[in-house]
Short mmCIF file of all heavy atoms in Angstrom, two decimals:
data_model
loop_
_atom_site.label_atom_id
_atom_site.label_comp_id
_atom_site.label_asym_id
_atom_site.label_seq_id
_atom_site.Cartn_x
_atom_site.Cartn_y
_atom_site.Cartn_z
N VAL O 5 0.59 12.13 -0.20
CA VAL O 5 -0.05 13.32 0.35
C VAL O 5 0.58 14.56 -0.28
O VAL O 5 1.77 14.81 -0.10
CB VAL O 5 0.08 13.38 1.88
CG1 VAL O 5 -0.58 14.65 2.41
CG2 VAL O 5 -0.54 12.14 2.52
N GLY O 9 -0.36 23.74 -2.65
CA GLY O 9 -1.24 24.45 -3.57
C GLY O 9 -1.74 25.76 -2.97
O GLY O 9 -1.49 26.05 -1.79
N LEU O 20 4.91 22.55 -5.27
CA LEU O 20 4.10 21.47 -4.74
C LEU O 20 5.01 20.38 -4.18
O LEU O 20 6.08 20.11 -4.72
CB LEU O 20 3.20 20.87 -5.82
CG LEU O 20 2.27 21.84 -6.54
CD1 LEU O 20 1.39 21.07 -7.53
CD2 LEU O 20 1.45 22.65 -5.59
N ALA O 24 5.51 10.51 0.15
CA ALA O 24 5.15 9.13 -0.18
C ALA O 24 5.50 8.22 0.98
O ALA O 24 6.62 8.25 1.49
CB ALA O 24 5.89 8.68 -1.43
N SER O 28 9.06 1.19 -1.20
CA SER O 28 9.48 0.98 -2.58
C SER O 28 9.69 2.29 -3.33
O SER O 28 9.67 2.31 -4.56
CB SER O 28 8.43 0.14 -3.32
OG SER O 28 8.23 -1.10 -2.69
N SER O 32 9.98 3.48 -7.59
CA SER O 32 8.74 4.06 -8.08
C SER O 32 9.00 5.14 -9.11
O SER O 32 9.86 6.01 -8.91
CB SER O 32 7.93 4.67 -6.92
OG SER O 32 7.67 3.71 -5.92
N TRP O 36 3.40 13.97 -11.59
CA TRP O 36 2.38 14.96 -11.26
C TRP O 36 1.41 15.04 -12.45
O TRP O 36 1.83 15.15 -13.59
CB TRP O 36 3.00 16.33 -11.02
CG TRP O 36 3.71 16.46 -9.71
CD1 TRP O 36 5.05 16.32 -9.49
CD2 TRP O 36 3.12 16.75 -8.44
NE1 TRP O 36 5.33 16.50 -8.16
CE2 TRP O 36 4.17 16.77 -7.50
CE3 TRP O 36 1.82 16.99 -8.00
CZ2 TRP O 36 3.95 17.03 -6.14
CZ3 TRP O 36 1.60 17.24 -6.67
CH2 TRP O 36 2.66 17.26 -5.74
N ARG O 38 -2.64 16.79 -13.55
CA ARG O 38 -3.58 17.84 -13.17
C ARG O 38 -4.89 17.63 -13.90
O ARG O 38 -4.95 17.04 -14.97
CB ARG O 38 -3.02 19.23 -13.46
CG ARG O 38 -2.87 19.56 -14.93
CD ARG O 38 -2.15 20.90 -15.10
NE ARG O 38 -2.03 21.28 -16.51
CZ ARG O 38 -1.33 22.34 -16.92
NH1 ARG O 38 -0.70 23.13 -16.06
NH2 ARG O 38 -1.28 22.63 -18.22
N ALA O 40 -8.35 20.04 -14.69
CA ALA O 40 -9.16 21.26 -14.61
C ALA O 40 -10.63 20.89 -14.79
O ALA O 40 -10.93 19.85 -15.39
CB ALA O 40 -8.72 22.24 -15.68
N GLY O 42 -14.05 20.07 -16.12
CA GLY O 42 -14.50 19.75 -17.46
C GLY O 42 -13.46 19.11 -18.34
O GLY O 42 -13.75 18.75 -19.49
N ASN O 43 -12.25 18.95 -17.81
CA ASN O 43 -11.17 18.36 -18.60
C ASN O 43 -10.77 17.00 -18.04
O ASN O 43 -11.03 16.70 -16.88
CB ASN O 43 -9.94 19.27 -18.62
CG ASN O 43 -10.17 20.53 -19.41
OD1 ASN O 43 -11.22 20.73 -20.00
ND2 ASN O 43 -9.17 21.40 -19.39
N ALA O 60 5.04 17.71 -19.97
CA ALA O 60 4.06 18.07 -20.98
C ALA O 60 4.56 19.31 -21.71
O ALA O 60 5.21 20.18 -21.11
CB ALA O 60 2.72 18.35 -20.33
N ALA O 91 -5.87 24.20 -11.78
CA ALA O 91 -6.34 22.81 -11.78
C ALA O 91 -6.09 22.20 -10.40
O ALA O 91 -5.41 22.80 -9.56
CB ALA O 91 -5.60 21.98 -12.84
N TYR O 93 -3.98 19.41 -8.75
CA TYR O 93 -2.75 18.71 -9.09
C TYR O 93 -2.64 17.45 -8.21
O TYR O 93 -2.77 17.53 -6.98
CB TYR O 93 -1.54 19.61 -8.88
CG TYR O 93 -1.38 20.62 -9.99
CD1 TYR O 93 -2.27 21.68 -10.12
CD2 TYR O 93 -0.35 20.51 -10.93
CE1 TYR O 93 -2.16 22.59 -11.15
CE2 TYR O 93 -0.23 21.43 -11.97
CZ TYR O 93 -1.13 22.46 -12.07
OH TYR O 93 -1.01 23.37 -13.09
N CYS O 95 -0.49 13.87 -7.21
CA CYS O 95 0.75 13.10 -7.20
C CYS O 95 0.42 11.66 -7.56
O CYS O 95 -0.63 11.12 -7.16
CB CYS O 95 1.36 13.16 -5.80
SG CYS O 95 2.97 12.33 -5.65
N GLY O 101 3.98 -2.60 -10.88
CA GLY O 101 2.80 -2.85 -11.69
C GLY O 101 1.52 -2.21 -11.20
O GLY O 101 0.45 -2.40 -11.80
N LYS O 107 -4.76 12.64 -3.07
CA LYS O 107 -6.09 13.25 -3.13
C LYS O 107 -6.09 14.58 -3.87
O LYS O 107 -7.16 15.10 -4.20
CB LYS O 107 -6.63 13.44 -1.71
CG LYS O 107 -6.91 12.12 -1.01
CD LYS O 107 -7.52 12.34 0.37
CE LYS O 107 -7.84 10.99 1.02
NZ LYS O 107 -8.43 11.17 2.37
N VAL O 113 -4.58 30.11 -10.43
CA VAL O 113 -3.78 31.23 -10.93
C VAL O 113 -4.74 32.31 -11.41
O VAL O 113 -5.43 32.15 -12.41
CB VAL O 113 -2.84 30.79 -12.06
CG1 VAL O 113 -1.94 31.95 -12.47
CG2 VAL O 113 -2.02 29.58 -11.64
N SER O 115 -5.65 36.84 -11.03
CA SER O 115 -5.35 38.16 -10.49
C SER O 115 -6.54 38.69 -9.69
O SER O 115 -6.48 39.79 -9.16
CB SER O 115 -4.98 39.13 -11.61
OG SER O 115 -6.00 39.16 -12.58
#
Side-chain angles (χ1 to χ4, degrees):
V5 179
L20 305 183
S28 302
S32 303
W36 286 97
R38 68 186 182 187
N43 291 357
Y93 283 71
C95 184
K107 293 183 178 180
V113 185
S115 54

